[in-house]
Amino acid sequence: MQTTICAPVTGEGKTAVSIIRLSGPQALEFARQITGPGVEFTPRKQVFCALKDGPNVLDRALVTYFQAPHSFTGEDIVEFAVHGSSYIRGRLLEILCRLGAVPARRGEFSYRAFLNGKMDLVEAQGLCDLISADNKEAHAIAMSSLDGRLSSRLEGVKQSLTHLLAQIEVRLDDVDEEMTPLSEQEISSPLTQAISALQKLADTFSVGKFIKEGLKVAIVGAPNAGKSSLLNALVGFDRAIVSAASGTTRDTIEETLDVNGRKIILTDTAGIREHALDPAEQEGMKRSIKALKGADAVIMVMDASREPTLQERSLWQDVLAENKRTILAFNKQDAVLQNIQWHPGEGKYSVVHLSCKTGDGVEELKKALTQDLTSGAAEDGVMLSNLRQYEAVLRAQTELEMAQRRLENQAGGEIYAEHIRAALLSLKDLIGEVTPDDVLDVIFSKFCMGK
């Protein structure tokens, strides 16, 4: 018999109310032992009753019973809404475990819901994303997964391919050739439609990933160009130490910023120059290059009061070579004493003139950071924000494109049918129909405790 598990649903710390969830075949039996005789449990009806700790009363709580299969996990569930005392919470869990319950692992309630068919893997991951959503757009993407809209889109493609594969295979088995052969158009058309649908989903990943995780921005430049001053100006407080002496920043400094509802993760880096003063600065410059490589966008800070050095010009070319969203920020506009003749060269980038000292241009820089960031977003809000989902969609799309090429080259039906099978396998893995248990364990281990 499957174990009955228990865990707090609400977070740790002092709260007015804590909820302890009990799920499994013995959930109702354990609840009756704690509440004692005379308490009647009706599914989906709260009961106010005393929770017994031996001869004593541990707490007076609201207890709700959800009868299988009409519950979150598909099993019997009992939830205890107790007062938020850490003692009450801990003691109740101890009593439940003494009765025979087992502490739930991270994500185990959701895992059981998945195993019992209450949600597919896409919906389960949507639930995980919903819990961690920290802005309106991330919430909308998570809800589109949790509500089944993404699953419905994938299911539609899967059913179309399943029907097509069945039509191909039945003709492969028709040795007497009694069935009318499928025309190239009858095979090519559903393949084209499926490829187009998967391509549209794949194209949303870059936007979905940004909305979910935030835009990682590296602030780079020469020593004393004003990188730390810019970080402070953007976040609105003195996050980084600023000094007239060059080379003050020796390590990367990270801070999160909200710009018009967009999550921006800023990384201030050590100044990059040709000759480091000591090993610490050398290590700082290595970390600066690493931050540049790992960023989604780059702000290159230049000192507008002087001509750029050869090292700065070289760094600028390195930044452009990364082919990322790039902003060239000319700082110290308040101190410009000469007419700079340097031309930054060809490339896709924005130019902003600002002064970290006076604050002029800082808002313009924020707008440049977030401009057109969600231009690839789907109109209906259905987007991919999970790397595993993205890779599965790409695998399926690649297999279908190979099937289409095989068809155009007039290969035998068994050849392109194999590619369609592989595409279906990727979609089934994405939804969770064929995902190995060890992969599922990794996925659900990322959930929070109690979910």
Side-chain angles (χ1 to χ4, degrees):
M1 183 171 61
Q2 191 172 21
T3 58
T4 297
I5 56 175
C6 62
V9 176
T10 47
E12 298 291 332
K14 291 184 178 180
T15 58
V17 176
S18 290
I19 297 177
I20 305 298
R21 177 180 288 164
L22 189 62
S23 178
Q26 294 175 287
L28 186 57
E29 176 190 337
F30 294 161
R32 283 175 172 152
Q33 290 186 51
I34 290 177
T35 57
V39 178
E40 293 295 329
F41 290 102
T42 303
R44 299 179 180 274
K45 294 285 184 68
Q46 285 188 324
V47 179
F48 182 67
C49 58
L51 305 182
K52 300 297 182 60
D53 182 0
N56 303 316
V57 173
L58 175 65
D59 195 13
R60 299 188 185 278
L62 286 172
V63 183
T64 311
Y65 167 52
F66 300 90
Q67 188 176 33
H70 307 294
S71 69
F72 175 73
T73 61
E75 306 171 329
D76 277 353
I77 282 181
V78 177
E79 291 185 345
F80 304 88
V82 299
H83 289 96
S85 157
S86 59
Y87 171 76
I88 294 174
R89 183 172 55 237
R91 182 59 181 162
L92 177 55
L93 288 169
E94 183 181 345
I95 294 170
L96 291 173
C97 289
R98 285 187 176 181
L99 290 174
V102 176
R105 300 188 304 272
R106 294 174 68 92
E108 190 169 1
F109 292 112
S110 299
Y111 193 11
R112 291 191 176 195
F114 165 74
L115 293 176
N116 291 327
K118 302 300 289 186
M119 62 176 73
D120 64 28
L121 192 55
V122 172
E123 292 167 340
Q125 290 179 303
L127 174 61
C128 187
D129 291 341
L130 181 66
I131 294 169
S132 60
D134 56 7
N135 60 69
K136 181 179 179 181
E137 291 172 324
H139 171 268
I141 293 177
M143 285 303 300
S144 74
S145 294
L146 182 58
D147 287 348
R149 280 178 281 160
L150 177 55
S151 295
S152 177
R153 184 81 59 84
L154 294 167
E155 186 64 30
V157 175
K158 194 188 83 169
Q159 287 182 5
S160 173
L161 293 175
T162 301
H163 177 74
L164 174 61
L165 183 61
Q167 293 297 314
I168 294 171
E169 288 182 331
V170 74
R171 283 164 174 80
L172 290 175
D173 295 335
D174 182 22
V175 292
D176 296 326
E177 298 184 354
E178 296 177 351
M179 302 187 68
T180 304
L182 292 175
S183 68
E184 184 174 328
Q185 178 64 25
E186 287 176 309
I187 301 172
S188 178
S189 179
L191 282 178
T192 300
Q193 291 175 11
I195 291 169
S196 176
L198 293 175
Q199 181 66 61
K200 287 179 181 178
L201 275 178
D203 288 344
T204 66
F205 176 65
S206 58
V207 176
K209 179 176 178 290
F210 152 66
I211 291 174
K212 177 183 173 182
E213 300 178 4
L215 186 74
K216 297 178 182 178
V217 181
I219 305 174
V220 302
N224 214 25
K227 300 182 298 301
S228 296
S229 296
L230 178 58
L231 175 70
N232 292 342
L234 287 169
V235 301
F237 62 93
D238 291 339
R239 174 65 177 86
I241 297 173
V242 176
S243 170
S246 64
T248 303
T249 302
R250 297 297 183 93
D251 200 355
T252 53
I253 299 174
E254 189 172 283
E255 190 62 44
T256 301
L257 176 68
D258 186 295
V259 180
N260 299 323
R262 316 274 192 226
K263 183 180 178 182
I264 307 294
I265 304 167
L266 298 169
T267 303
D268 178 25
T269 65
I272 299 175
R273 54 184 168 186
E274 189 172 358
H275 300 292
L277 298 179
D278 53 45
E281 188 176 6
Q282 287 181 344
E283 180 60 29
M285 286 195 288
K286 288 180 182 178
R287 296 186 183 190
S288 298
I289 297 299
K290 183 178 179 181
L292 170 62
K293 297 287 185 183
D296 302 312
V298 182
I299 301 174
M300 171 81 176
V301 183
M302 290 280 204
D303 185 342
S305 66
R306 57 170 176 76
E307 288 282 350
T309 64
L310 290 175
Q311 181 69 20
E312 285 177 301
R313 296 174 193 232
S314 176
L315 176 60
W316 173 241
Q317 293 304 314
D318 291 340
V319 169
L320 289 180
E322 291 293 320
N323 196 30
K324 298 176 179 179
R325 174 181 287 263
T326 302
I327 299 173
L328 181 59
F330 284 103
N331 185 31
K332 304 185 182 180
Q333 291 297 312
D334 57 293
V336 172
L337 300 175
Q338 54 182 310
N339 189 15
I340 306 299
Q341 299 300 314
W342 179 63
H343 298 285
E346 298 294 328
K348 293 182 179 180
Y349 57 88
S350 304
V351 178
V352 176
H353 298 272
L354 55 85
S355 168
C356 295
K357 184 176 181 180
T358 65
D360 292 340
V362 173
E363 290 302 316
E364 183 184 349
L365 175 59
K366 289 181 180 180
K367 290 179 182 178
L369 267 178
T370 57
Q371 187 175 13
D372 300 327
L373 274 178
T374 56
S375 58
E379 292 182 3
D380 59 0
V382 178
M383 287 187 278
L384 301 179
S385 62
N386 181 290
L387 180 60
R388 181 181 176 277
Q389 294 172 351
Y390 175 63
E391 290 176 340
V393 167
L394 281 187
R395 286 197 305 272
Q397 180 186 335
T398 300
E399 291 291 346
L400 295 179
E401 289 171 346
M402 293 177 68
Q404 201 166 47
R405 285 196 294 271
R406 297 285 192 177
L407 177 65
E408 291 168 356
N409 294 333
Q410 297 183 342
E414 66 276 1
I415 302 297
Y416 51 77
E418 191 60 36
H419 291 297
I420 297 174
R421 285 191 201 96
L424 278 168
L425 189 63
S426 290
L427 293 178
K428 289 177 180 179
D429 175 51
L430 174 57
I431 297 170
E433 293 180 15
V434 295
T435 307
D437 288 343
D438 56 343
V439 175
L440 291 174
D441 288 340
V442 170
I443 292 171
F444 284 97
S445 69
K446 297 177 182 177
F447 282 54
C448 61
M449 190 65 70
K451 204 63 183 177

